[in-house]
Amino acid sequence: MPTNEDIAKVLGEIGEYLAMQDVPFKPRAYEKVAETIRSLSESVSEMYKKGGLSAVKNIPGVGASIAESIEEFIKKGKIAYHEELKRGAPVNLAELRRVEGLGPRKIKILYQKLGIRTLSDLKKAATSHKIRSLEGFGEKTEENILKGIEFVNASGDRKILGFILPDIRVIEDNLKKIKGVSKVVVAGSTRRRRETIGDIDFLVVSEKSEPVMDFFVNMPEVARIMAKGPTKSMVHLKSGLDADIRVVPKESYGAALNYFTGSKDHNVALRKLAIEKGYKLNEYGLFKIKGKGGGEEKIAGDTEEGIYKALGLPYIEPELREMMGEIEAAKSGKLPKLIDYKDLKGDLQVQTSWTDGSASIEEMAIAAYEQGLSYMVVTDHTKRLAMTHGLDDESVLKQGKEIDKVNQKLKEKKIKFYILKGTECDILKDGSLDLSDKVLATLDVVGVSVHSYFNLPINEQTKRVEKAIRNKNVDIFFHPTGRLINKRSAYEIDMERIIKVAGETGTVLEIDAYPDRLDMNYEYIRQCVESGVKMSIDSDAHATTHFQYLEFGIDQARRGWAEKEDIINAWPMEKMLSMLKGETND
Ligand code: DGT
Ligand code: CA
Ligand code: CA
Ligand code: ZN
């Protein structure tokens, strides 16, 4: 059975092949469905198994023909229409698409004019400067293509956690159903909540291991079996990732979990600490060495807490186990009380169908409410971002009236949820803003972001942003570094300076939770925590299913040692607003 990621990928590709043929509208429809499926927490294959074609049609944006394609893919592992488009296309689209800035239309031109079919063709053409003379490309584009190729090669095959986690959870749930299995945990980088993962590490506690291993290597998600043994196996999944599994008895669960969670450096430090105390720590337990020839006695190992305790430490959360000072902090009782997954009360960056979101203000509000939030800020794009139909001054004011109406409606329905007025206002090249100060002053929350001129020299970029966040109407700087994981590196900006200015002006810096953004990253988050700069964790939702991405922003906040007090949308709305209004920037 294909995973959601598999289905999203094939539908996305259909959209791109169609876009290469200049078919109108259809490409966007396929892309949107792909995006939605990627963010569903339920497996589409399971939905189909239980509810058939009509269940698939209930997925937002899925009409009859896309539903049939999905059915075909689940049944046969391929879609005839996709195969036909692929055969008809002369280029390796999937490969070329990985280069930032290369969409289906550009790829088509590169093929028609220069015969470029693959990444290596592209690299040759760019290094021999054949691309710059093409109409619509130029020298800058050629340079960016080269940078993009380098980035693709450097980012390797790590997968973005937020996009792959739903598929991991499906496997986890299936393993839990095996008779004799009492625990299934995903350890490794997944448990430490890194933004990308190199492979998946399943840890299973079970009375018997054979049934677990038999199930594991025969799962439909498996492309290839790499190794199969009584306690340890490894497979290569169709999604492109490797997955390890280890089955352990319950007495050594804690020690195994601790070992396979890592990080490696954290493990090494713990083992050293054990040795200093005359103990030995490994994946089977913590042991006391009894004199010469006296053997060893197990003193901990069934739980992680027990191991840390025996080493004289409080429990250290997995997100902190990166050797970034967590052992010292633990020793001196200075570990943070990390923000929790239930702590968020609002979402400060939400797009609606007023621009490039797929749902209305009301639909987004209901979805946020169902996710457990009690407020959100509508932050549609502004006019400079023309491809999203960004709003101008007038439409922002008009949207405000619509928000009033929806708030009234929610109140009548007794839904305890409030929608605030806001914007994701573009920062123009010179640091001025895309809406007038007069209109900005009417909004509850003003967010600003950079969506253009990514290649300015670092000083210029830093000054541009500094000017924007010094505007007294500005409250939050959204996705501060502009990176897209596995796709585009951050623009060059002096974040130390920006954090300092944010501190002076009371500007909030965002942790954008969208899985391929996670922007700021955990290192900048840690710097904000240390300098007392407040942050927000926002979904950057463009669809009703995107609020669940907040989880991944919370992950990164935790990796950055953030507490509830550091995150303004973990506060009640009134407190959050009075912090923004009481700011000192002028
Ligand atoms: P990844 O897969 O690259 O995203 O990162 P991890 O951390 O999941 O690394 P992985 O899968 O190679 O190993 C899982 C954990 O197992 C790792 O975090 C720590 C532990 N581990 C693996 N190899 C070693 C080792 O040679 N020494 C020690 N102390 N621990 C190891
Ligand atoms: Ca791993
Ligand atoms: Ca591994
Ligand atoms: Zn944006």
Side-chain angles (χ1 to χ4, degrees):
M1 266 188 339
T3 65
N4 286 0
E5 180 60 30
D6 299 333
I7 298 171
K9 206 171 146 213
V10 73
L11 294 178
E13 276 184 27
I14 292 178
E16 288 174 351
Y17 286 124
L18 291 173
M20 272 184 78
Q21 298 177 2
D22 295 325
V23 176
F25 308 120
K26 265 171 112 179
R28 188 69 195 120
Y30 275 95
E31 269 165 40
K32 278 204 168 169
V33 171
E35 224 170 76
T36 304
I37 289 180
R38 228 175 229 126
S39 67
L40 290 176
S41 49
E42 232 186 315
S43 149
V44 173
S45 295
E46 288 290 338
M47 280 160 71
Y48 176 75
K49 216 166 90 182
K50 283 186 209 135
L53 203 55
S54 60
V56 176
K57 279 187 198 152
N58 280 337
I59 300 168
V62 173
S65 88
I66 296 186
E68 278 162 22
S69 290
I70 294 175
E71 177 180 49
E72 189 183 344
F73 191 62
I74 293 173
K75 281 187 174 162
K76 298 187 186 155
K78 55 185 174 188
I79 301 173
Y81 185 40
H82 174 253
E83 298 292 317
E84 184 192 316
L85 287 166
K86 196 163 148 186
R87 258 196 313 277
V91 304
N92 188 338
L93 187 73
E95 192 179 279
L96 292 170
R97 273 299 268 128
R98 292 184 64 198
V99 178
E100 164 64 10
L102 278 196
R105 285 192 185 81
K106 279 210 172 98
I107 291 174
K108 184 179 167 188
I109 298 171
L110 288 168
Y111 169 69
Q112 286 174 339
K113 303 281 181 206
L114 300 173
I116 292 170
R117 294 167 190 269
T118 63
L119 204 59
S120 85
D121 291 348
L122 183 69
K123 191 168 177 181
K124 268 184 231 148
T127 34
S128 55
H129 302 313
K130 286 194 181 121
I131 292 175
R132 60 176 64 178
S133 53
L134 292 180
E135 200 185 316
F137 281 78
E139 206 168 312
K140 198 90 205 163
T141 314
E142 189 177 82
E143 265 170 42
N144 288 339
I145 286 176
L146 274 173
K147 266 194 211 158
I149 296 171
E150 241 168 70
F151 194 76
V152 168
N153 292 334
S155 50
D157 283 330
R158 297 185 69 83
K159 299 274 182 217
I160 293 171
L161 179 63
F163 291 144
I164 204 87
L165 196 59
D167 296 343
I168 298 179
R169 284 177 173 155
V170 169
I171 298 178
E172 194 182 341
D173 286 344
N174 289 335
L175 288 168
K176 279 182 186 160
K177 289 180 202 145
I178 299 171
K179 204 168 158 248
V181 168
S182 57
K183 262 193 184 99
V184 180
V185 195
V186 187
S189 48
T190 302
R191 185 159 181 253
R192 301 198 313 282
R193 296 292 166 144
R194 283 195 56 182
E195 48 200 38
T196 61
I197 60 169
D199 76 349
I200 314 168
D201 304 280
F202 291 102
L203 185 70
V204 175
V205 177
S206 179
E207 291 161 15
K208 286 200 220 133
S209 79
E210 305 93 81
V212 178
M213 291 310 181
D214 287 339
F215 175 85
F216 188 72
V217 300
N218 290 307
M219 297 186 300
E221 292 89 347
V222 172
R224 235 180 17 255
I225 303 171
M226 320 274 283
K228 185 176 181 238
T231 60
K232 207 176 143 178
S233 295
M234 188 201 269
V235 296
H236 186 71
L237 299 176
K238 287 177 186 155
S239 63
L241 270 183
D242 288 340
D244 284 347
I245 192 166
R246 287 168 194 90
V247 179
V248 299
K250 70 175 192 302
E251 311 81 70
S252 51
Y253 166 70
L257 179 61
N258 191 245
Y259 182 88
F260 294 114
T261 296
S263 66
K264 212 184 265 185
D265 292 344
H266 179 87
N267 289 356
V268 170
L270 285 187
R271 252 180 287 157
K272 213 172 122 214
L273 206 60
I275 292 167
E276 282 166 20
K277 292 191 181 292
Y279 302 155
K280 185 178 95 182
L281 176 64
N282 58 28
E283 58 197 277
Y284 307 104
L286 180 65
F287 303 89
K288 192 172 191 166
I289 314 290
K290 292 188 183 163
K292 268 191 202 127
E296 47 187 45
E297 178 201 351
K298 188 168 161 199
I299 54 168
D302 49 351
T303 67
E304 280 197 308
E305 285 82 355
I307 294 170
Y308 284 105
K309 195 166 173 218
L311 292 174
L313 300 176
Y315 178 70
I316 300 177
E317 302 276 3
E319 293 91 333
L320 302 183
R321 300 181 197 169
E322 298 288 355
M323 278 316 272
M324 302 270 287
E326 71 275 16
I327 308 253
E328 295 71 20
K331 276 184 186 161
S332 55
K334 289 197 174 116
L335 284 176
K337 187 178 179 311
L338 297 181
I339 179 165
D340 198 3
Y341 291 91
K342 291 187 204 74
D343 284 340
L344 286 193
K345 297 192 164 55
D347 191 337
L348 309 186
Q349 198 201 150
V350 174
Q351 273 75 228
T352 73
S353 50
W354 279 66
T355 57
D356 62 343
S358 64
S360 68
I361 296 172
E362 186 178 350
E363 286 164 340
M364 292 304 272
I366 301 280
Y369 174 71
E370 284 171 353
Q371 185 81 16
L373 300 177
S374 59
Y375 60 90
M376 74 174 194
V377 187
V378 170
T379 56
D380 274 300
H381 290 289
T382 56
K383 60 183 186 297
R384 202 217 58 88
L385 217 53
M387 61 178 182
T388 69
H389 310 290
L391 309 182
D392 59 11
D393 276 356
E394 201 184 327
S395 10
V396 167
L397 294 174
K398 205 166 123 206
Q399 187 184 50
K401 295 206 177 100
E402 173 66 19
I403 291 175
D404 289 337
K405 271 192 219 151
V406 179
N407 271 329
Q408 186 57 35
K409 205 161 153 192
L410 293 176
K411 201 169 158 191
E412 281 158 16
K413 287 191 190 166
K414 298 206 167 21
I415 294 175
K416 287 210 168 80
F417 188 86
Y418 195 76
I419 310 165
L420 293 161
K421 296 167 194 165
T423 177
E424 176 177 9
C425 185
D426 252 61
I427 302 177
L428 306 181
K429 190 182 179 193
D430 65 355
S432 61
L433 300 176
D434 201 19
L435 294 174
S436 72
D437 279 329
K438 209 170 128 204
V439 166
L440 290 176
T442 67
L443 298 173
D444 298 308
V445 179
V446 171
V448 293
S449 41
V450 169
H451 291 121
S452 59
Y453 300 103
F454 295 135
N455 291 321
L456 296 181
I458 182 163
N459 284 338
E460 216 174 303
Q461 193 71 278
T462 307
K463 277 201 193 115
R464 172 192 187 191
V465 168
E466 185 174 334
K467 179 173 169 193
I469 65 179
R470 283 190 186 280
N471 179 312
K472 65 180 182 336
N473 292 311
V474 171
D475 301 307
I476 312 180
F477 179 31
F478 287 153
H479 46 72
T481 74
R483 64 133 173 209
L484 292 176
I485 300 173
N486 282 359
K487 212 163 165 195
R488 173 174 89 203
S489 38
Y491 40 75
E492 290 186 45
I493 185 165
D494 180 354
M495 277 302 287
E496 235 161 80
R497 171 79 194 158
I498 296 301
I499 291 170
K500 187 163 171 279
V501 176
E504 283 167 31
T505 56
T507 307
V508 171
L509 297 182
E510 183 185 55
I511 302 168
D512 190 308
Y514 210 83
D516 64 356
R517 283 196 182 271
L518 301 179
D519 183 6
M520 301 177 286
N521 68 22
Y522 75 104
E523 285 156 315
Y524 291 135
I525 296 170
R526 182 87 176 267
Q527 286 178 30
C528 287
V529 169
E530 279 164 7
S531 12
V533 167
K534 301 295 178 206
M535 292 165 279
S536 64
I537 299 174
D538 307 330
S539 66
D540 199 352
H542 284 67
T544 52
T545 50
H546 290 168
F547 291 104
Q548 61 187 310
Y549 288 154
L550 287 168
E551 171 184 354
F552 305 107
I554 300 172
D555 286 342
Q556 297 310 310
R558 289 165 64 88
R559 285 174 62 81
W561 296 45
E563 304 193 351
K564 196 171 163 180
E565 264 318 291
D566 298 308
I567 307 295
I568 66 163
N569 53 325
W571 308 350
M573 188 171 82
E574 293 311 324
K575 180 176 167 190
M576 187 269 310
L577 285 174
S578 66
M579 182 266 163
L580 294 180
K581 294 312 147 207
E583 64 195 15
T584 55
N585 51 354
D586 43 17

